[in-house]
Amino acid sequence: MTEQGHLAEFLQARRSRLRPEDVGLRTYGERRRVPGLRREELAMLAGISAPYYTRLEQGQSRNASREVLDAVANALRLDDSERAHLHTLARTPRSGARRARTPAERVTPATRALLAAVADTPALVVGRRSDVLAWNPPGHALFAGHLDPDGPDDPRRRPNMARLVFLDAHTRELYADWPAKARAVVGNLRLTAGRYPDDPQLTALVGELTVRSREFAALWADHRVLACDVADYGMHHPLVGALTVTQQTLQSPQGNGPALVVATAAPGSASARALSLLAHATAPRPRRDAQPRRDAESRTV
């Protein structure tokens, strides 16, 4: 991160991606030293002064109104997720200011009950840094069957979905369109970084992935954001073969707690049958001594 912070980096990245012809500006064949719009051009499109926009992009103005931010978002042609991200970044306190401690993550009894209620459907409980806090047997089998099923119970061994997508060969081969999954992971981490800019574990995760994965480093530098609410993914599963799942992320209204990630398939489809087979293969087996014990108890009554 630069001295100006996430807000400056985001605005600069978005401005550099827009060309004058994209927004109807004439350049009269002039040569430009850098790609994208100039600051004064973006300011004109947003209807604000160039000096004010410059201060905003340099992180020197942290009190921009919602109307100004919306005008900048319109000029940059941001989508809904990017617009919300811009507002989040603009509300982030300056470095060194007193900030609330990042809350600890835990799986509530209600969330565990919800996970148990969908026992036949692949499901995970994922933290803000994409750590797997809990999963049911089909969820473990679908997303990370090669890992220890008890891994989420130990904070020191918890699987991390971002780390798996970029650094784990099994997970890379699992997704038919791995680049799409990679973009979604990075876009979601960008949103999280905007909400929790002082989370040391998130910073460490981003640093690790930047060093160990060129693909992650390139995507992170692009500053794209993406809310992973609903997405379809083709998968090549080693146990049940090819299937397509709809991955839905169910978050609390406040967006500040662990999320439940559920994978479903179109009813009656081959993918639905594959998920059913996976659920059957991972269903807990009754103990062999359970029936004899019940028979013995019945004889004593």
Side-chain angles (χ1 to χ4, degrees):
M1 188 177 71
T2 66
E3 293 181 358
Q4 290 78 29
H6 290 293
L7 176 62
E9 291 180 341
F10 180 69
L11 290 174
Q12 291 165 9
R14 280 293 173 272
R15 179 170 57 83
S16 68
R17 196 170 292 115
L18 279 179
R19 299 173 300 176
E21 54 267 33
D22 294 335
V23 294
L25 295 179
R26 294 184 177 181
T27 61
Y28 302 99
E30 62 180 316
R31 297 183 61 183
R32 296 186 167 227
R33 292 179 297 174
V34 294
L37 295 179
R38 293 167 176 160
R39 285 172 177 164
E40 57 269 23
E41 292 170 336
L42 195 286
M44 179 188 68
L45 292 171
I48 60 179
S49 71
Y52 181 84
Y53 176 76
T54 299
R55 292 196 301 273
L56 182 65
E57 191 173 284
Q58 292 178 342
Q60 299 173 6
S61 178
R62 308 294 296 191
N63 57 351
S65 67
R66 174 171 289 275
E67 291 73 19
V68 166
L69 293 174
D70 282 336
V72 171
N74 291 336
L76 291 171
R77 300 187 172 186
L78 303 184
D79 62 24
D80 291 342
S81 294
E82 293 167 334
R83 184 185 296 265
H85 184 60
L86 173 62
H87 281 274
T88 297
L89 295 179
R91 292 195 302 268
T92 302
R94 286 177 177 268
S95 178
R98 185 178 182 85
R99 302 178 186 178
R101 174 181 291 183
T102 303
E105 294 186 301
R106 62 187 183 89
V107 182
T108 65
T111 301
R112 291 196 181 276
L114 183 58
L115 190 63
V118 293
D120 293 334
T121 301
L124 318 171
V125 179
V126 180
R128 58 180 170 270
R129 309 178 196 96
S130 74
D131 292 321
V132 179
L133 307 181
W135 51 24
N136 62 12
H140 165 251
L142 179 64
F143 293 106
H146 62 303
L147 300 182
D148 182 357
D150 297 327
D153 299 332
D154 184 352
R156 298 168 299 179
R157 298 190 300 117
R158 277 176 181 161
N160 179 277
M161 295 308 297
R163 192 178 284 115
L164 289 175
V165 166
F166 282 95
L167 304 181
D168 182 74
H170 172 93
T171 305
R172 181 183 286 261
E173 294 175 359
L174 187 63
Y175 289 94
D177 187 356
W178 181 86
K181 180 62 178 179
R183 289 192 297 270
V185 168
V186 174
N188 190 63
L189 275 182
R190 268 290 176 197
L191 289 174
T192 305
R195 298 188 187 105
Y196 302 99
D198 289 335
D199 186 332
Q201 291 174 276
L202 178 60
T203 300
L205 174 64
V206 170
E208 176 194 353
L209 293 176
T210 299
V211 171
R212 298 181 63 186
S213 170
R214 292 182 179 179
E215 293 106 330
F216 180 89
L219 289 171
W220 188 255
D222 192 51
H223 282 264
R224 291 189 183 274
V225 298
L226 181 64
C228 300
D229 298 327
V230 182
D232 293 333
Y233 293 108
M235 307 180 83
H236 300 300
H237 195 273
L239 184 61
V240 296
L243 71 161
T244 298
V245 301
T246 299
Q247 183 174 306
Q248 299 183 65
T249 301
L250 310 177
Q251 186 79 53
S252 67
Q254 296 78 19
N256 57 357
L260 181 69
V261 179
V262 181
T264 59
S269 66
S271 296
R273 290 192 291 273
L275 287 184
S276 179
L277 176 62
L278 191 65
H280 177 74
T282 59
R285 298 292 186 264
R287 292 174 51 184
R288 292 184 177 181
D289 61 342
Q291 184 64 41
R293 183 180 296 114
R294 287 196 296 269
D295 292 342
E297 291 174 351
S298 64
R299 286 195 296 269
T300 60
V301 175

